[in-house]
């Protein structure tokens, strides 16, 4: 049984890894709160003591607004920390899987979908830091796998941490009779987090490199919200906006390397509802 060290084990993705994959791997984590303050030496010493076969690095400052206001904190969390993980993984011979983000595609004028080789010019601090992390990690450890993850969603339950996400935001707006706003010129993938966690079992076997990671979506976000509400059988007030952005990703590289890709949004959402007993 492989020993897998998970960073961010108390977070949105990390906590689901710890429960969902517990019967397939020997899972371990960093001490609670350690990564928020530890220096490079402490991080690497912990990894050397643990001697994992795989490191799943999910810890990050993922709030784009917070990163914009606190660039130094973002740089430490989103660039230096994954680099320290890569250097330690090299020392112990561990496979490193790092979560990057579709935010690296901000700033592009085309609508996509974008492949991993697309020249980039990220328009926000978070995207720039994730892009730099990809380059520095792969330079230090070419066998590392960098996952450009989409926006992920889940519903509250199972005692797991939850945060604002696409599906939860729609449900909350319907329940509270609030308005939600989506642009008809905004494109991005949205992924059921439990499917993403399940896919990590295949990711551990991938050759090093960058992979777009998540459900593909050809619809603009306004149309995506309307379709999701139809599936959820809810009718929140959805206001159409017209600002432009595209984070659409081409999942072809992952499909070719792993042998399968992600479900589309509608299929993933249906599975999510079944998992929570909301649909037969």
């Amino acid at each position: 049984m492989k020993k897998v060290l998970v960073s961010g084990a108390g977070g949105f993705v990390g906590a689901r890894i710890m429960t969902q994959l517990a019967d397939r791997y020997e899972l371990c984590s960093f001490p609670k709160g350690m990564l928020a303050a530890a220096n490079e030496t402490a991080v690497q010493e912990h990894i050397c003591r643990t001697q994992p076969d795989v490191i799943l690095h999910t810890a990050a400052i993922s709030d784009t607004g917070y990163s914009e206001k606190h660039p130094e904190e973002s740089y430490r969390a989103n660039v230096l920390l994954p680099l320290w993980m890569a250097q330690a993984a090299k020392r112990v011979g561990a496979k490193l899987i790092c979560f990057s983000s579709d935010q690296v595609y901000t700033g592009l004028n085309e609508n996509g979908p974008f492949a991993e080789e697309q020249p980039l010019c990220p328009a926000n601090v978070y995207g720039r830091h994730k892009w730099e992390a990809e380059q520095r990690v792969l330079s230090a450890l070419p066998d590392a796998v960098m996952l450009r993850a989409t926006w992920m969603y889940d519903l509250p339950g199972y005692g797991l941490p939850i945060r604002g996400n696409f599906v939860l935001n729609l449900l909350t707006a319907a329940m509270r009779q609030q308005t939600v706003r989506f642009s008809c010129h905004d494109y991005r993938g949205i992924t059921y987090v439990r499917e993403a966690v399940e896919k990590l079992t295949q990711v551990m076997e991938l050759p090093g490199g960058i992979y777009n990671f998540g459900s593909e979506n050809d619809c603009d976000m306004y149309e995506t919200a309307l379709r999701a509400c139809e599936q959820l059988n809810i009718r929140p007030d959805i206001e159409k906006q017209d600002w432009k952005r595209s984070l659409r990703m081409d999942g072809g590289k992952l499909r070719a390397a792993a042998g399968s890709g992600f479900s589309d949004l509608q299929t993933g959402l249906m599975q999510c509802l079944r998992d929570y007993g909301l649909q037969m």
Side-chain angles (χ1 to χ4, degrees), residues 75 78-80 82-83 100 104 120 122 125-139 146:
Y75 193 82
N78 296 325
V79 179
L80 295 181
L83 178 60
S100 184
V104 300
L120 301 174
V125 167
Y126 178 71
R128 289 194 293 272
H129 287 172
K130 284 294 189 179
W131 186 34
E132 181 177 343
E134 291 177 357
Q135 297 170 80
R136 296 187 67 177
V137 165
L138 288 171
S139 177
M146 308 298 295

Side-chain angles (χ1 to χ4, degrees), residues 197-232:
V197 169
E198 191 64 34
K199 190 67 67 178
L200 291 174
T201 61
Q202 295 170 285
V203 167
M204 291 182 199
E205 309 302 324
L206 293 178
I210 298 169
Y211 296 85
N212 290 334
F213 189 70
S215 296
E216 295 168 90
N217 183 17
D218 292 334
C219 293
D220 64 72
M221 287 301 296
Y222 178 75
E223 180 64 27
T224 298
L226 293 178
R227 292 186 181 190
C229 287
E230 184 176 354
Q231 275 188 274
L232 294 165

Side-chain angles (χ1 to χ4, degrees), residues 40 44 80 82-92 96 140-141:
E40 178 180 1
Q44 295 193 3
L80 295 181
L83 178 60
W84 299 344
M85 297 280 176
Q87 292 165 341
K90 186 173 183 178
R91 288 176 61 184
V92 302
L96 176 64
L141 186 66

Side-chain angles (χ1 to χ4, degrees), residues 7-263:
S7 76
F12 182 72
V13 176
R16 285 157 177 81
I17 291 172
M18 297 301 289
T19 58
Q20 198 169 324
L21 302 183
D23 61 342
R24 282 171 272 182
Y25 303 99
E26 180 187 347
L27 299 178
C28 50
S29 62
F30 290 85
K32 185 176 180 180
M34 174 187 172
L35 293 179
N39 60 22
E40 178 180 1
T41 299
V43 170
Q44 295 193 3
E45 285 180 350
H46 183 81
I47 292 171
C48 288
R49 284 195 303 272
T50 305
Q51 290 290 308
D53 300 300
V54 179
I55 300 171
L56 288 178
H57 181 50
T58 74
I61 291 176
S62 57
D63 185 320
T64 57
Y66 188 91
S67 292
E68 208 71 32
K69 295 176 183 176
H70 304 88
E72 292 183 0
E73 285 184 54
S74 175
Y75 193 82
R76 180 197 174 277
N78 296 325
V79 179
L80 295 181
L81 190 54
L83 178 60
W84 299 344
M85 297 280 176
Q87 292 165 341
K90 186 173 183 178
R91 288 176 61 184
V92 302
K95 180 75 172 182
L96 176 64
I97 315 295
C98 276
F99 275 76
S100 184
S101 170
D102 61 1
Q103 290 289 326
V104 300
Y105 294 113
T106 59
L108 298 177
N109 293 321
E110 302 87 357
N111 279 339
F114 303 116
E116 290 82 353
E117 299 77 19
Q118 172 74 36
L120 301 174
C121 54
N124 57 44
V125 167
Y126 178 71
R128 289 194 293 272
H129 287 172
K130 284 294 189 179
W131 186 34
E132 181 177 343
E134 291 177 357
Q135 297 170 80
R136 296 187 67 177
V137 165
L138 288 171
S139 177
L141 186 66
D143 189 47
V145 171
M146 308 298 295
L147 302 175
R148 290 178 176 169
T150 68
W151 193 12
M152 297 189 193
Y153 67 88
D154 201 0
L155 296 176
Y158 302 103
L160 294 168
I162 193 69
R163 65 186 184 197
N165 62 71
F166 176 70
V167 173
L168 186 58
N169 293 351
L170 290 174
L171 289 167
T172 301
M175 180 178 64
R176 297 178 180 175
Q177 297 183 315
Q178 296 172 333
T179 299
V180 286
R181 297 169 178 84
F182 293 98
S183 173
C184 58
H185 299 294
D186 181 26
Y187 298 86
R188 70 183 307 184
I190 303 168
T191 306
Y192 182 31
V193 66
R194 292 177 182 275
E195 182 177 5
V197 169
E198 191 64 34
K199 190 67 67 178
L200 291 174
T201 61
Q202 295 170 285
V203 167
M204 291 182 199
E205 309 302 324
L206 293 178
I210 298 169
Y211 296 85
N212 290 334
F213 189 70
S215 296
E216 295 168 90
N217 183 17
D218 292 334
C219 293
D220 64 72
M221 287 301 296
Y222 178 75
E223 180 64 27
T224 298
L226 293 178
R227 292 186 181 190
C229 287
E230 184 176 354
Q231 275 188 274
L232 294 165
N233 195 27
I234 57 175
R235 292 173 178 79
D237 179 28
I238 301 178
E239 183 178 298
K240 183 189 287 189
Q241 305 280 294
D242 63 0
W243 52 271
K244 184 177 180 180
R245 178 183 66 173
S246 181
L247 307 179
R248 285 178 65 204
M249 299 194 298
D250 182 340
K253 182 178 178 180
L254 180 68
R255 283 194 299 274
S260 64
F262 280 82
S263 304

